[in-house]
């Protein structure tokens, strides 16, 4: 509801894909089949994708970053802090006690080059060694997919638009993350759009009310028409 209302609030969602606090039960972001003390035969629940969830809840700013990439983390947090309204930042975080290595494919320098898709506003979405892989729109389904870049498809590489009015493409980008293997996971700012901020609108409404009706009288309101006495 905070996201829907666009309250001026910054939400940092530390996702380690486990309940570490209570010593290692599966969480709403654990992969299917997760074996923990509470799920000895493997968990049955399909996980949430927090970025998809936030975009679906009408969030005006949604980003993802990784705990070990200090530069990226800092840059994303700066943008979130400057955003007017609610910002949600998912931070992939390692829990070295109860879920060690959950995001290793995205943290290890060599593997990360092949697995991490860095979203940058206004830039073509390419990744991998020599930018050999890219995100394109599949003309048959309208969905997004990852392809090897060739001379023939280079012109069709998707250019990231974090400020797009429609959340559709940001949502499609959020679906590229593969919870099982993490073999292509977008990080960065998926969506950053400006719309009315709840706090600002409410302050304006209060000012308007005072202007139109004069300052309210709380005591008079409390002792107003609808009062009754409870017999003692
Ligand atoms: C009131 C309450 N609601 C839900 C839970 C279930 N629960 C156990 S651990 C946990 C996650 C805690 O997350 P965080 O504080 O980020 O620490 P982490 O477990 O990731 O180390 C939750 C929701 C709980 N223990 N208490």
């Amino acid at each position: 509801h905070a996201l829907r209302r666009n309250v001026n609030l910054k939400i940092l969602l530390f996702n380690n894909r486990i309940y570490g606090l209570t010593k290692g039960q599966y969480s709403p972001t654990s992969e299917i089949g997760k074996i923990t003390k509470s799920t000895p035969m493997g968990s049955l629940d399909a996980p949430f994708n927090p970025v998809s969830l936030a975009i679906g809840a009408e969030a005006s700013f949604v980003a993802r970053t990784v705990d070990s990439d200090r530069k990226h983390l800092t840059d994303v947090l700066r943008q979130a802090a400057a955003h007017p309204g609610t910002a949600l930042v998912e931070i992939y975080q390692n829990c070295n006690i109860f879920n060690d290595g959950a995001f290793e494919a995205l943290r290890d320098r060599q593997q990360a080059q092949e697995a991490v898709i860095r979203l940058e506003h206004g830039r073509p979405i390419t990744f991998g060694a020599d930018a050999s892989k890219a995100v394109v729109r599949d003309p048959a389904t309208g969905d997004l997919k990852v392809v090897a870049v060739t001379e023939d498809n280079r012109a069709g590489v998707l250019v990231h638009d974090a400020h797009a009015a429609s959340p559709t493409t940001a949502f499609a980008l959020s679906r590229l993350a593969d919870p099982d293997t993490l073999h292509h996971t977008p990080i960065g700012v998926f969506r950053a759009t400006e719309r009315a901020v709840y706090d600002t609108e409410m302050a304006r409404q209060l000012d308007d009310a005072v202007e139109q009706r004069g300052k309210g009288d709380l005591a008079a309101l409390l002792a107003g028409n609808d009062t009754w006495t409870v017999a003692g």
Side-chain angles (χ1 to χ4, degrees):
H1 292 290
L3 295 170
R4 173 173 69 80
R5 290 181 178 136
N6 208 27
V7 176
N8 195 17
L9 182 74
K10 316 304 158 202
I11 303 169
L12 310 185
L13 191 156
F14 292 87
N15 180 5
N16 57 17
R17 310 188 81 186
I18 203 79
Y19 283 173
L21 179 72
T22 43
K23 301 192 172 182
Q25 298 79 24
Y26 81 108
S27 85
T29 57
S30 296
E31 62 277 19
I32 293 175
K34 184 78 177 168
I35 293 175
T36 70
K37 287 169 204 158
S38 63
T39 50
M41 303 289 287
S43 61
L44 301 173
D45 291 353
F48 270 141
N49 176 327
V51 169
S52 303
L53 193 66
I55 293 170
E58 306 292 341
S60 58
F61 183 105
V62 187
R64 178 189 288 135
T65 185
V66 185
D67 61 354
S68 54
D69 189 340
R70 201 184 310 175
K71 192 170 172 297
H72 192 265
L73 178 76
T74 308
D75 179 52
V76 164
L77 291 184
R78 267 191 216 290
Q79 292 186 62
H83 178 72
T86 317
L88 182 133
V89 181
E90 179 184 28
I91 303 167
Y92 282 162
Q93 186 183 48
N94 195 44
C95 174
N96 59 347
I97 302 295
F98 293 108
N99 204 19
D100 197 21
F103 298 111
E104 202 47 37
L106 309 176
R107 290 159 55 100
D108 173 79
R109 214 168 259 264
Q110 213 153 10
Q111 290 185 68
Q113 196 183 33
E114 293 304 319
V116 172
I117 306 173
R118 287 172 179 269
L119 300 175
E120 287 171 56
H121 177 72
R123 302 278 300 269
I125 307 175
T126 59
F127 65 108
D130 306 324
S132 58
K133 293 182 279 191
V135 175
V136 298
R137 201 177 291 283
D138 183 336
T141 63
D143 206 354
L144 300 182
K145 63 177 184 179
V146 170
V147 294
V149 177
T150 64
E151 280 315 312
D152 292 340
N153 65 18
R154 193 180 298 277
V157 172
L158 191 73
V159 174
H160 185 45
D161 180 5
H163 308 320
S166 163
T168 306
T169 304
F171 186 84
L173 282 170
S174 77
R175 307 311 294 172
L176 289 177
D178 181 337
D180 294 325
T181 60
L182 302 169
H183 66 260
H184 38 65
T185 299
I187 65 167
V189 177
F190 287 73
R191 178 162 175 73
T193 55
E194 286 207 21
R195 66 179 172 90
V197 176
Y198 190 91
D199 323 35
T200 314
E201 292 298 302
M202 191 177 63
R204 188 179 54 75
Q205 215 171 49
L206 289 173
D207 288 346
D208 287 353
V210 170
E211 200 172 299
Q212 287 164 24
R213 306 171 191 201
K215 222 171 166 35
D217 183 342
L218 185 62
L221 180 70
L222 289 176
N225 295 335
D226 289 330
T227 64
W228 64 94
T229 306
V230 179

